Structure formats: C-alpha cells, structure tokens
Amino acid sequence: MSISSEHKPLGKQVTGSLQTLSPIVELNVGGEMYTTTLSTLKKHPGSKLAEMFTGQPKLRTDSEGRFFIDRPGTYFKYILEYLRSNQVPTQCIQDVYKEALFYDIEPLIKQLEDSPQIFGEVVARRQFLARVPNYSENIELMIRIARAEAVASRQSGVIVCVVRTEEDAARCQDALNSLDMDKKSVVKFGPWKAVPSISDLLDCIQMDVEAKGYKISFQPHVAEKGFRFKSHDFFYKFLFTWW
C-alpha cells in the first residue's frame, strides 16, 4: 500500500519558485488575514509588492503557512481593493498613502497625491518646510529644551525667533546676543525663500510638535530689555503644558 505525501499549506511551499504555487494566496498582514490571487498581487510589475511574489520567495510564513507581511493590516484592504478594481480609497488617506509608498505602487501613489489631503501636506506644506533651514532639527531642539525645563512644573516655555528675510535676521542679532548673555535658550527659524508668512510657519511648528503628542500653544514674546524694533514681530514663546 502506497503512502501519499503529506499535504503542505501554501505558505510552507517556500523552497521552490513562487511560480509553482497555487494562484490563490493566503496572507497574514500584521495579524489581518487576506486571501487573493498571485495575479492581483503582481498587477504592477515594478512595485515592491509584486517583487515579493516574483521569483524566489522573499517572505516568511506564519504558523499556518500564510505569507507574512509585517505592516499594518487594517490598511492593506484598501491596497488590495485598488489592485482588484482600481478603486482609489476615500478613507484613511494619509495611512493608505504611507502603505502605497511602502509597497511602491506608483499609479496609486500618484492618484493619492492628487487628493486634497495629500496634495496640501506633501506638495504645499512639506515643500515649504523643506526651504526652511534645519526645520526638523529645530523642532527636536525645542522639545529637548522644553523637557529639560519641565522639572516640577506644569508648563515650560521655549523662546523662538522667526525671521523670514536676511534683513530681519540682521535686525534680530542684537536681541539674540542679549538673550544669550542672559543664558536664555532661543531656537531660531529662518530665513526662507517662499511665499508663506511668519504666522504660517508658527502654525506649522505647532502642528508638527502636536503631532508628536505634546500639548503646546504660543504667544508673542515681549523682551524684557528695550530693542530697536518690536520684539514681538520676531520672538514668540511656545508653552508646553505637561499636566
């Protein structure tokens, strides 16, 4: 009596070429289970997702033999729906955009970038901030200063100097020197060459600090010593509230 070979789950068949697999594929994406076809996953040959299922296997399998992708499973359904029917998602746009970038699905990336949510953030705001020298580094510096001054306090303040032009930067130099002599830390933003104003940049700073989980507000900072200009035109105090 002959003994038939034991049937192995699809995901366990990772020793040979993926071309020998069943056209039906079971996936475990961050704990969410999906069933689809190889042709759907490989719909856009230049994408990272298609590459995962082309040639030699590049994915691990879970205990049930499903191919495992270590990404947020909640948003993969939108990726899969696009691959199946070219339907561009209208929900969770920002999160789906991140996944489209990860899987490198170029047509979906371009269509999402045309949506108001992504266009405003990526094309408009981010392009502006890219022209503000050391913007990201200054955000991190603000947070470090605020945390250092938070001992036994409900709030801690960070003085910010915002200058749009080289001329404004020159006008503020005496004030910056004075604050430095008083041993007060100041984070300086600018100058930049772009249309947005100082108030636009202040809104961006607040938005990006809040995105990191901090509760923050700002107000004009009135210098204690007299300067040759209105200090509140360029100096602001950002208040971090801790409790």
Side-chain angles (χ1 to χ4, degrees):
M1 179 178 178
S2 62
I3 301 176
S4 61
S5 61
E6 183 181 356
H7 174 72
K8 295 183 180 180
L10 173 63
K12 293 295 185 181
Q13 300 175 7
V14 295
T15 56
S17 170
L18 279 165
Q19 295 176 350
T20 65
L21 296 179
S22 164
I24 308 301
V25 180
E26 293 184 358
L27 301 173
N28 176 346
V29 185
E32 299 283 341
M33 311 307 166
Y34 294 94
T35 301
T36 186
T37 66
L38 274 176
S39 60
T40 296
L41 296 171
K42 296 165 64 175
K43 184 174 181 179
H44 297 285
S47 70
K48 182 177 179 180
L49 185 62
E51 182 184 342
M52 291 177 181
F53 295 92
T54 301
Q56 292 298 319
K58 302 172 181 67
L59 294 171
R60 296 180 180 179
T61 57
D62 66 12
S63 59
E64 298 297 322
R66 293 173 291 237
F67 287 107
F68 180 73
I69 301 177
D70 193 14
R71 295 295 295 179
T74 303
Y75 310 116
F76 188 74
K77 64 182 178 182
Y78 300 109
I79 300 292
L80 203 53
E81 187 60 33
Y82 176 77
L83 295 174
R84 288 168 171 163
S85 60
N86 291 324
Q87 180 176 329
V88 179
T90 57
Q91 303 178 57
C92 309
I93 300 297
Q94 297 279 358
D95 294 302
V96 176
Y97 179 67
K98 292 178 184 177
E99 297 310 296
L101 288 173
F102 173 79
Y103 293 115
D104 195 19
I105 304 173
E106 192 65 30
L108 178 57
I109 292 171
K110 290 181 178 178
Q111 290 184 70
L112 288 173
E113 286 180 347
D114 285 337
S115 69
Q117 301 95 318
I118 302 300
F119 181 87
E121 174 65 20
V122 175
V123 178
R125 196 176 85 92
R126 284 295 161 190
Q127 288 297 318
F128 158 52
L129 295 179
R131 302 185 184 189
V132 180
N134 303 313
Y135 177 81
S136 297
E137 293 84 349
N138 283 342
I139 292 291
E140 296 300 328
L141 178 57
M142 285 179 62
I143 292 171
R144 289 200 300 271
I145 292 172
R147 291 174 68 93
E149 297 181 359
V151 179
S153 300
R154 184 173 187 179
Q155 290 184 322
S156 54
V158 179
I159 300 174
V160 168
C161 175
V162 183
V163 289
R164 183 176 176 182
T165 67
E166 295 287 354
E167 292 78 9
D168 291 340
R171 293 174 65 195
C172 289
Q173 195 56 52
D174 287 345
L176 289 169
N177 292 338
S178 178
L179 289 167
D180 185 57
M181 289 179 63
D182 291 339
K183 297 186 178 181
K184 292 184 178 180
S185 299
V186 181
V187 181
K188 178 174 169 288
F189 288 84
W192 64 87
K193 294 181 179 179
V195 173
S197 65
I198 286 177
S199 63
D200 293 325
L201 181 63
L202 292 170
D203 288 340
C204 288
I205 294 171
Q206 181 174 11
M207 185 186 307
D208 288 330
V209 173
E210 287 179 340
K212 295 179 180 292
Y214 295 92
K215 185 177 180 181
I216 190 174
S217 62
F218 66 88
Q219 60 192 29
H221 175 66
V222 179
E224 298 175 1
K225 297 181 180 180
F227 296 126
R228 292 175 296 176
F229 58 89
K230 295 179 180 179
S231 62
H232 57 74
D233 288 342
F234 307 107
F235 288 84
Y236 298 83
K237 191 164 189 176
F238 279 78
L239 295 174
F240 288 71
T241 301
W242 302 104
W243 50 273

